[in-house]
Amino acid sequence: CANGSLGTEGPEAPETDSSGTGRMRKPLERNGSTQNHVVHLERRLGLFSGVALIVGTMIGSGIFVSPSGLLVRTGSVGVSFIIWLACGVLSLLGALAYAELGTMNTSSGAEWAYFMDAYGPAPAFLFSWVSTLVLKPSQMAIICLSFAQYAVEAFVTECDPPRGVVKMVALVAIVMILFVNCYSVNLGMAVQNVFTAAKLVAVVVVICGGAWKLMQGNTQHLSNAFNGPMPNVGAIATAFYTGLWAYDGWNNLNYVTEEIKNPSKNLPRSIIIGIPLVTLCYALINISYLAAMSPQEMIESEAVAVTFGNRILGALAWLMPLSVTISTFGSANGTLFAAGRLCFAASREGHLLDILSYVHVRRLTPAPGLIFHSLIASAMVLHGTIDSLIDFFSFTAWIFYGGAMLALIVMRYTKPNYPRPYKVPIIIPVVVLVISVYLVAAPIFETPRVEYLYALLFIFAGLIFYVPFVKLGMTPRFMNKVTLFLQLLLEVVPTSSMAM
Ligand code: ARG
């Protein structure tokens, strides 16, 4: 439905999945009803839209909020710049490996689909469990908090923006994005496109402003870049968390593989164009910030881009907070949009609550899944801060990104004859796997925090639900009643075996 391409057909027959794995998708016969209609998607995303989806998701809040955090964690401009570039290279390598996975198994749902093929249903379930309950909502919460911080900052000049107000504005943003996406798929896509274009304008403004300052000779903050204490191993890993947040979204196209035209060509090409483009933008933006302010000023600023705007844009300084709110709003919109697809991919195999895969009868939007994600994101907004949520998110996400690298390596041995239209040198997933093990393990050993333990416990707690409800297929009686009630309340119906 990336471009409003939901359609219906009927009657439904069981089909093999598009990966050519021969895995059968079961027709839904839950709640005693068999579908007569298939909600299906069309292949509409070409190379341009593929690049836009990657770039539009990756550029969100991170480049406007993370530079200060990265400086604090690394202690010097030079190390922080190296980490910015290394994050770009790591994202590119990870995404190239995902290109092999995504062209080998062309089902939507990214990690979920690859885990299913490589490891079977239990690990795939654990991914959808963590992703639906933690990863996707925390992405949403972080981006909306950043949105709110910049929106409020625009009106408060003398002091720090009041926390309560920031949280309220973040909640309002979640509700607005939820409304847009429940209202119509086309509206969601239009918001995405307009906001992506606007954020690119903001990026160009920052880069040009920085170039202008450099031409005036403001290069003093770029010299002696490595002056400062060297960070320890754990601090480097958490600095990576901060940087990698800004690059997160590099795998977003893999969630919608079923909608890409000629995926074996367009998926790798979009990745090869999109990620270096973002890396280049981020490197130039970092230099621009340093052309306008000192590292210390960057650390002290609550909103780096606003400080930058005040220094460079004069009477047009208001453009900066406006651009950042647009960028973050667009990224949050794309995040909720992708979350809906994950729900679909997982629930068509019976891995999530049935109701989460239902769509609105007239609007054909996956309202229950979207509402569910938004509720959890709102709770995270109320209880978390941007930095704590980013650490928690990155720690958990990199467990699964590493898992996907291992899935690629495992399948080279277990499924050697699968068609692989795009094949990466095996060293790439091995390197990314080793780095992801480091990223997950280093903070645990260097600065053990109880949150990391909770995250691990939470992942495995999924098994408590997996065994009775998915493996043994038990459904508590009251669930049917709850589902029916919600169906009537929200006017939603089950879709069939295809995602939205
Ligand atoms: N990189 C984005 C930012 O800086 C966050 C993207 C969140 N991830 C995602 N898959 N939607 O705000």
Side-chain angles (χ1 to χ4, degrees), residues 57-63 136 139 143 244-249 251-252 282 331 334-335 393:
T57 314
M58 287 175 76
I59 304 180
S61 59
I63 189 60
K136 291 285 163 201
Q139 286 173 346
I143 307 175
L244 284 169
W245 165 253
Y247 285 94
D248 201 71
N251 59 348
N252 231 29
Y282 284 3
S331 187
T335 300
F393 164 81

Side-chain angles (χ1 to χ4, degrees), residues 36-55:
N36 288 323
H37 289 84
V38 182
V39 176
H40 70 95
L41 37 82
E42 289 170 19
R43 293 193 182 277
R44 292 233 184 155
L45 294 169
L47 180 62
F48 187 79
S49 324
V51 174
L53 194 67
I54 293 182
V55 173

Side-chain angles (χ1 to χ4, degrees), residues 31 355 358 478-492:
N31 293 335
I355 189 77
Y358 291 5
F478 73 91
M479 264 325 285
N480 283 343
K481 284 199 179 129
V482 172
T483 307
L484 196 63
F485 172 76
L486 290 174
Q487 252 189 289
L488 293 171
L489 181 74
L490 301 171
E491 298 186 73
V492 292

Side-chain angles (χ1 to χ4, degrees), residues 219-272:
T219 52
Q220 66 277 24
H221 305 310
L222 298 170
S223 51
N224 301 327
F226 290 91
N227 275 359
M230 270 296 159
N232 64 25
V233 199
I236 292 187
T238 48
F240 263 99
Y241 283 178
T242 312
L244 284 169
W245 165 253
Y247 285 94
D248 201 71
W250 50 263
N251 59 348
N252 231 29
L253 204 52
N254 286 61
Y255 285 98
V256 297
T257 331
E258 285 166 33
E259 288 148 88
I260 307 175
K261 288 186 220 157
N262 196 356
S264 56
K265 290 218 163 52
N266 284 331
L267 179 64
R269 282 182 190 164
S270 308
I271 286 170
I272 291 166

